[in-house]
Amino acid sequence: MGIREAHTIFDTRAVNVLLGTTIQNKRKLRHLSTHELSAELFRVYGISVSAMTISRVERGNVISSDKLFAIASFLEINLTEFTSSFPTVK
């Protein structure tokens, strides 16, 4: 058995930036500051996500999945639809 070569399916950094931009656009459509979004996430889901963390996510940084799912859910971002546009391995 040979060693299989690892292939990049998509640029994960680009995906993170795209998701961050999507989050930022949805937040701005609701006229929420990062501080207001942080407060709403705590009020609605009981999860603590600082305004600085939200800003980092919007710039494409990675955070824990529970925080990411809370942000996406609150801003009504369907992650299944978001990821369905990614290339698949054939």
Side-chain angles (χ1 to χ4, degrees):
M1 296 182 101
I3 298 174
R4 296 182 80 177
E5 291 183 28
H7 296 282
T8 302
I9 298 170
F10 51 83
D11 181 353
T12 55
R13 176 72 179 143
V15 169
N16 292 341
V17 169
L18 179 61
L19 181 58
T21 301
T22 302
I23 289 170
Q24 184 178 52
N25 291 339
K26 291 274 192 166
R27 177 182 59 79
K28 287 182 175 182
L29 280 173
R30 291 181 176 220
H31 304 288
L32 292 171
S33 70
T34 55
H35 292 282
E36 290 167 328
L37 178 55
S38 174
E40 285 298 307
L41 291 171
F42 188 76
R43 183 183 68 77
V44 173
Y45 300 109
I47 190 165
S48 179
V49 184
S50 72
M52 183 171 283
T53 297
I54 293 168
S55 293
R56 288 180 181 144
V57 170
E58 290 178 352
R59 291 191 307 268
N61 292 338
V62 178
I63 61 171
S64 65
S65 59
D66 59 336
K67 292 179 181 182
L68 180 61
F69 290 135
I71 293 169
S73 180
F74 184 80
L75 295 176
E76 298 175 348
I77 298 170
N78 184 325
L79 292 175
T80 302
E81 288 178 10
F82 182 81
T83 57
S84 68
S85 64
F86 298 167
T88 58
V89 177
K90 302 212 180 215

